Amino acid sequence: MIDSVVWQRALAACVLAWGAAAQAALPQAAQQDVQRRLDCYGAANPSACEITLADSGTPFGRVHRGSALLLGVEVDAATRARAMEDLRSAAEEGYTPAYESLAVFLRRGAGRSESLQWRWLAAEHGHAAAAKHLGGSIDFDGTDRQSAADRMFLSWVHCHPASFDSDGPVMSELNTARKASPGADLTQVIAQVHAKRLNEAKAKAENFLHGCVPGAYYLASLPPDDQAWVRKTVRARMAQTLKNIKEAVRKFPDLELLTLPEYQDLLPPP
């Protein structure tokens, strides 16, 4: 169990490291991608609008086009091939949402084994929904330290306030904020939503440190030496995942909308 003073200090250190300054504006190209995505909410045909997002040539646009094509009413072999190419090319560049999109759509076809591989990659790179789905798919009887470590690691990724949220809910929240403040520009809307999410993250961070980190459910049946191994292993894996999140955001600035940089260093003491 983590001492309350220790976790309070860990929490404060993460937030203070980023200071009280407002979230920096996205680069112009990323802002344009997000603006076009938000404009699709008001389009006569939102799916057709999302397909045009790939005109930007960015992974953001390709993932949206691929997903829109695969969710269409009629998906023939050529359309599916084109859509999967969009997702695979974005994934090859290291765009985290593409990993989970591939996992979702491959699972609907005949690629369940490959789907699992992409979902693990998504979880290891900080995708919260991927970790949640995987957590329920691992056999666990409480006596195997490797499966305990896997399940506990996935619970940490799912719980962590800096893990990537899914794109859909975040974009929907931005669209709602934009409609509520019609005079605000996109930078102001993003700052408003970020402040709201940051405030909500306080409870999530406490839950991470108090609920997920101790991992009583996963450790209860293991001997002390195995418990120590699991704790050390899971912390190291989560530390690498947080590095992966930072690197993804550095490479693809639009991903900053899906995470909370203020918590990207939040880990329990070794």
Side-chain angles (χ1 to χ4, degrees):
M1 185 64 75
I2 294 182
D3 181 82
S4 61
V5 174
V6 172
W7 78 255
Q8 286 280 10
R9 287 174 179 168
L11 209 54
C14 285
V15 177
L16 286 173
W18 281 83
Q23 188 183 38
L26 293 179
Q28 187 62 31
Q31 283 201 48
Q32 290 175 351
D33 269 344
V34 174
Q35 184 66 63
R36 292 181 64 205
R37 170 67 182 87
L38 294 177
D39 289 343
C40 288
Y41 281 101
N45 187 334
S47 293
C49 179
E50 288 189 39
I51 289 171
T52 68
L53 296 179
D55 294 347
S56 68
T58 62
F60 177 96
R62 276 177 275 141
V63 167
H64 279 89
R65 178 173 69 182
S67 299
L69 288 170
L70 289 168
L71 292 171
V73 177
E74 295 184 8
V75 183
D76 57 22
T79 300
R80 180 175 175 82
R82 178 188 178 195
M84 294 303 290
E85 175 57 29
D86 278 338
L87 299 181
R88 290 187 187 280
S89 66
E92 287 169 3
E93 291 183 37
Y95 191 67
T96 308
Y99 302 156
E100 177 62 3
S101 293
L102 278 169
V104 169
F105 291 112
L106 283 167
R107 188 169 178 79
R108 295 179 181 180
R112 294 201 169 190
S113 176
E114 187 183 357
S115 169
L116 189 62
Q117 295 172 21
W118 284 113
R119 186 152 272 169
W120 264 110
L121 195 61
E124 289 165 350
H125 284 75
H127 199 288
K132 181 180 180 180
H133 287 301
L134 278 172
S137 67
I138 298 174
D139 292 332
F140 180 65
D141 63 7
T143 60
D144 172 17
R145 74 177 191 175
Q146 184 59 60
S147 65
D150 287 342
R151 286 281 298 272
M152 191 165 160
F153 165 68
L154 292 171
S155 78
W156 280 32
V157 176
H158 179 231
C159 287
H160 202 287
S163 291
F164 288 124
D165 284 328
S166 297
D167 173 88
V170 173
M171 289 297 159
S172 180
E173 193 167 7
L174 286 170
N175 185 53
T176 299
R178 183 178 66 158
K179 290 193 294 186
S181 303
D185 62 24
L186 182 58
T187 299
Q188 292 171 318
V189 170
I190 289 172
Q192 290 171 15
V193 171
H194 180 77
K196 178 176 177 290
R197 294 179 68 232
L198 188 59
N199 186 57
E200 294 170 347
K202 295 175 184 177
K204 191 169 185 178
E206 292 180 15
N207 179 61
F208 170 71
L209 289 168
H210 278 308
C212 297
V213 166
Y217 172 74
Y218 306 109
L219 301 177
S221 299
L222 296 176
D225 286 351
D226 283 350
Q227 289 186 23
W229 180 87
V230 168
R231 289 192 184 97
K232 181 178 180 180
T233 299
V234 171
R235 190 185 187 283
R237 288 172 72 176
M238 191 68 216
Q240 181 59 53
T241 293
L242 292 173
K243 290 180 182 178
N244 293 341
I245 291 171
K246 293 177 186 178
E247 175 59 23
V249 172
R250 185 197 64 77
K251 190 174 182 181
F252 307 106
D254 63 274
L255 293 182
E256 187 167 318
L257 299 177
L258 308 183
T259 181
L260 290 172
E262 293 85 351
Y263 288 101
Q264 286 175 1
D265 292 312
L266 180 62
L267 281 172

